[in-house]
Amino acid sequence: MQNKYRHLFTAILLLCIGLQSCNETAIVDVNLPIDNRSWSYAGKVRIPVIIEDPDKSYNLYLNLRHTADYKYSNIFVLIHQSATGYETITERKEFKLAYPDGEWLGSGAGNFYSYQILFRKGYKFPAKGSYIFEIEQNMRDNPLPEITDVGLRVEPVQEN
């Protein structure tokens, strides 16, 4: 009887993995932890991205997690994109994290809130190759408390 359940569990696990890999289109989807939930200016989050097909368009998202104790309804970040042979592109972005009444916009689990916020839609990289994205917090508080993870998602635009 126990062997029957083991086979059933294995089948369900393989099905879940298979479904997840079929739906996964991102070439990068990374979240990096912020030490002590305290994001300093010097603590830039550095994420490499390899582009194999520059003819495709990509959507780029900021991944962010914070605790319920985060005291702002928004966050400002600087996003730097660099590659050998190209000038570094730097953008300052503001992302809204809460409604005016204070309710968080992100998905919550316990005391933590997660976001995946689009910041470039249909972007075409200039060439095939390796790119580095650096994300730094650009708020007045340094360090910025209650940020737990920061990351990046890059996915090809799905053609219909």
mmCIF file of all heavy atoms in Angstrom, residues 11-32:
data_model
loop_
_atom_site.group_PDB
_atom_site.id
_atom_site.type_symbol
_atom_site.label_atom_id
_atom_site.label_comp_id
_atom_site.label_asym_id
_atom_site.label_seq_id
_atom_site.Cartn_x
_atom_site.Cartn_y
_atom_site.Cartn_z
ATOM 1 N N ALA A 11 4.434 10.513 -9.480
ATOM 2 C CA ALA A 11 3.728 10.916 -10.706
ATOM 3 C C ALA A 11 3.235 12.357 -10.607
ATOM 4 O O ALA A 11 3.369 13.138 -11.551
ATOM 5 C CB ALA A 11 2.569 9.962 -10.984
ATOM 6 N N ILE A 12 2.674 12.731 -9.466
ATOM 7 C CA ILE A 12 2.186 14.098 -9.270
ATOM 8 C C ILE A 12 3.345 15.081 -9.298
ATOM 9 O O ILE A 12 3.262 16.145 -9.927
ATOM 10 C CB ILE A 12 1.377 14.207 -7.960
ATOM 11 C CG1 ILE A 12 0.063 13.431 -8.095
ATOM 12 C CG2 ILE A 12 1.110 15.660 -7.603
ATOM 13 C CD1 ILE A 12 -0.716 13.289 -6.816
ATOM 14 N N LEU A 13 4.446 14.741 -8.659
ATOM 15 C CA LEU A 13 5.624 15.603 -8.644
ATOM 16 C C LEU A 13 6.161 15.823 -10.059
ATOM 17 O O LEU A 13 6.438 16.949 -10.466
ATOM 18 C CB LEU A 13 6.715 15.001 -7.755
ATOM 19 C CG LEU A 13 8.005 15.817 -7.623
ATOM 20 C CD1 LEU A 13 7.709 17.162 -6.963
ATOM 21 C CD2 LEU A 13 9.020 15.044 -6.826
ATOM 22 N N LEU A 14 6.269 14.758 -10.837
ATOM 23 C CA LEU A 14 6.760 14.881 -12.214
ATOM 24 C C LEU A 14 5.801 15.701 -13.076
ATOM 25 O O LEU A 14 6.239 16.493 -13.918
ATOM 26 C CB LEU A 14 6.983 13.499 -12.824
ATOM 27 C CG LEU A 14 8.169 12.716 -12.271
ATOM 28 C CD1 LEU A 14 8.198 11.303 -12.838
ATOM 29 C CD2 LEU A 14 9.478 13.432 -12.557
ATOM 30 N N LEU A 15 4.502 15.540 -12.865
ATOM 31 C CA LEU A 15 3.518 16.320 -13.596
ATOM 32 C C LEU A 15 3.670 17.807 -13.281
ATOM 33 O O LEU A 15 3.662 18.645 -14.183
ATOM 34 C CB LEU A 15 2.104 15.840 -13.270
ATOM 35 C CG LEU A 15 0.965 16.620 -13.940
ATOM 36 C CD1 LEU A 15 1.023 16.459 -15.454
ATOM 37 C CD2 LEU A 15 -0.377 16.162 -13.400
ATOM 38 N N CYS A 16 3.827 18.132 -12.013
ATOM 39 C CA CYS A 16 3.994 19.536 -11.607
ATOM 40 C C CYS A 16 5.257 20.141 -12.220
ATOM 41 O O CYS A 16 5.237 21.261 -12.731
ATOM 42 C CB CYS A 16 4.051 19.664 -10.084
ATOM 43 S SG CYS A 16 2.466 19.340 -9.289
ATOM 44 N N ILE A 17 6.348 19.409 -12.181
ATOM 45 C CA ILE A 17 7.604 19.891 -12.765
ATOM 46 C C ILE A 17 7.433 20.084 -14.265
ATOM 47 O O ILE A 17 7.867 21.087 -14.830
ATOM 48 C CB ILE A 17 8.767 18.936 -12.443
ATOM 49 C CG1 ILE A 17 9.090 18.996 -10.946
ATOM 50 C CG2 ILE A 17 10.004 19.270 -13.274
ATOM 51 C CD1 ILE A 17 10.057 17.927 -10.481
ATOM 52 N N GLY A 18 6.797 19.141 -14.917
ATOM 53 C CA GLY A 18 6.573 19.234 -16.364
ATOM 54 C C GLY A 18 5.718 20.434 -16.734
ATOM 55 O O GLY A 18 6.016 21.156 -17.675
ATOM 56 N N LEU A 19 4.644 20.659 -15.988
ATOM 57 C CA LEU A 19 3.777 21.802 -16.263
ATOM 58 C C LEU A 19 4.495 23.111 -16.018
ATOM 59 O O LEU A 19 4.349 24.072 -16.775
ATOM 60 C CB LEU A 19 2.512 21.729 -15.404
ATOM 61 C CG LEU A 19 1.514 20.645 -15.775
ATOM 62 C CD1 LEU A 19 0.382 20.605 -14.762
ATOM 63 C CD2 LEU A 19 0.977 20.859 -17.183
ATOM 64 N N GLN A 20 5.296 23.163 -14.974
ATOM 65 C CA GLN A 20 6.034 24.374 -14.664
ATOM 66 C C GLN A 20 7.040 24.681 -15.765
ATOM 67 O O GLN A 20 7.163 25.816 -16.211
ATOM 68 C CB GLN A 20 6.745 24.233 -13.320
ATOM 69 C CG GLN A 20 7.443 25.510 -12.888
ATOM 70 C CD GLN A 20 8.087 25.358 -11.530
ATOM 71 O OE1 GLN A 20 8.250 24.252 -11.030
ATOM 72 N NE2 GLN A 20 8.470 26.456 -10.941
ATOM 73 N N SER A 21 7.763 23.691 -16.250
ATOM 74 C CA SER A 21 8.763 23.938 -17.280
ATOM 75 C C SER A 21 8.118 24.306 -18.608
ATOM 76 O O SER A 21 8.679 25.065 -19.380
ATOM 77 C CB SER A 21 9.679 22.720 -17.444
ATOM 78 O OG SER A 21 8.951 21.621 -17.922
ATOM 79 N N CYS A 22 6.907 23.819 -18.883
ATOM 80 C CA CYS A 22 6.218 24.185 -20.120
ATOM 81 C C CYS A 22 5.781 25.642 -20.095
ATOM 82 O O CYS A 22 5.754 26.302 -21.115
ATOM 83 C CB CYS A 22 4.990 23.304 -20.329
ATOM 84 S SG CYS A 22 5.397 21.607 -20.755
ATOM 85 N N ASN A 23 5.407 26.142 -18.935
ATOM 86 C CA ASN A 23 4.925 27.505 -18.821
ATOM 87 C C ASN A 23 6.054 28.507 -18.604
ATOM 88 O O ASN A 23 5.822 29.700 -18.692
ATOM 89 C CB ASN A 23 3.925 27.618 -17.662
ATOM 90 C CG ASN A 23 2.664 26.848 -17.955
ATOM 91 O OD1 ASN A 23 2.310 26.653 -19.103
ATOM 92 N ND2 ASN A 23 1.989 26.402 -16.914
ATOM 93 N N GLU A 24 7.231 28.066 -18.305
ATOM 94 C CA GLU A 24 8.340 28.954 -17.992
ATOM 95 C C GLU A 24 8.968 29.465 -19.272
ATOM 96 O O GLU A 24 9.518 28.709 -20.046
ATOM 97 C CB GLU A 24 9.390 28.219 -17.142
ATOM 98 C CG GLU A 24 10.498 29.112 -16.652
ATOM 99 C CD GLU A 24 9.989 30.269 -15.806
ATOM 100 O OE1 GLU A 24 9.151 30.042 -14.931
ATOM 101 O OE2 GLU A 24 10.427 31.398 -16.054
ATOM 102 N N THR A 25 8.841 30.773 -19.506
ATOM 103 C CA THR A 25 9.390 31.363 -20.711
ATOM 104 C C THR A 25 10.531 32.325 -20.417
ATOM 105 O O THR A 25 11.198 32.766 -21.342
ATOM 106 C CB THR A 25 8.297 32.125 -21.484
ATOM 107 O OG1 THR A 25 7.791 33.178 -20.663
ATOM 108 C CG2 THR A 25 7.178 31.196 -21.914
ATOM 109 N N ALA A 26 10.735 32.694 -19.185
ATOM 110 C CA ALA A 26 11.745 33.694 -18.839
ATOM 111 C C ALA A 26 13.150 33.160 -19.099
ATOM 112 O O ALA A 26 13.438 31.995 -18.844
ATOM 113 C CB ALA A 26 11.611 34.106 -17.382
ATOM 114 N N ILE A 27 14.005 34.030 -19.617
ATOM 115 C CA ILE A 27 15.413 33.649 -19.758
ATOM 116 C C ILE A 27 16.169 33.959 -18.475
ATOM 117 O O ILE A 27 17.208 33.372 -18.223
ATOM 118 C CB ILE A 27 16.088 34.312 -20.983
ATOM 119 C CG1 ILE A 27 16.048 35.821 -20.899
ATOM 120 C CG2 ILE A 27 15.449 33.826 -22.268
ATOM 121 C CD1 ILE A 27 16.892 36.508 -21.965
ATOM 122 N N VAL A 28 15.612 34.864 -17.662
ATOM 123 C CA VAL A 28 16.140 35.166 -16.335
ATOM 124 C C VAL A 28 14.955 35.450 -15.431
ATOM 125 O O VAL A 28 14.045 36.184 -15.812
ATOM 126 C CB VAL A 28 17.070 36.404 -16.352
ATOM 127 C CG1 VAL A 28 17.426 36.858 -14.955
ATOM 128 C CG2 VAL A 28 18.321 36.141 -17.151
ATOM 129 N N ASP A 29 14.958 34.879 -14.246
ATOM 130 C CA ASP A 29 13.981 35.206 -13.210
ATOM 131 C C ASP A 29 14.681 34.956 -11.882
ATOM 132 O O ASP A 29 14.684 33.840 -11.371
ATOM 133 C CB ASP A 29 12.711 34.373 -13.347
ATOM 134 C CG ASP A 29 11.560 34.935 -12.521
ATOM 135 O OD1 ASP A 29 11.758 35.949 -11.813
ATOM 136 O OD2 ASP A 29 10.460 34.364 -12.584
ATOM 137 N N VAL A 30 15.307 36.008 -11.362
ATOM 138 C CA VAL A 30 16.202 35.883 -10.213
ATOM 139 C C VAL A 30 15.760 36.827 -9.105
ATOM 140 O O VAL A 30 15.416 37.981 -9.367
ATOM 141 C CB VAL A 30 17.655 36.244 -10.627
ATOM 142 C CG1 VAL A 30 18.587 36.268 -9.436
ATOM 143 C CG2 VAL A 30 18.164 35.299 -11.685
ATOM 144 N N ASN A 31 15.795 36.337 -7.879
ATOM 145 C CA ASN A 31 15.604 37.156 -6.687
ATOM 146 C C ASN A 31 16.812 36.951 -5.800
ATOM 147 O O ASN A 31 17.161 35.805 -5.488
ATOM 148 C CB ASN A 31 14.345 36.737 -5.922
ATOM 149 C CG ASN A 31 13.088 37.061 -6.681
ATOM 150 O OD1 ASN A 31 12.858 38.193 -7.066
ATOM 151 N ND2 ASN A 31 12.269 36.051 -6.917
ATOM 152 N N LEU A 32 17.440 38.048 -5.394
ATOM 153 C CA LEU A 32 18.607 37.955 -4.517
ATOM 154 C C LEU A 32 18.262 38.555 -3.165
ATOM 155 O O LEU A 32 17.659 39.637 -3.086
ATOM 156 C CB LEU A 32 19.801 38.691 -5.144
ATOM 157 C CG LEU A 32 20.246 38.127 -6.496
ATOM 158 C CD1 LEU A 32 21.326 38.996 -7.114
ATOM 159 C CD2 LEU A 32 20.734 36.699 -6.353
#
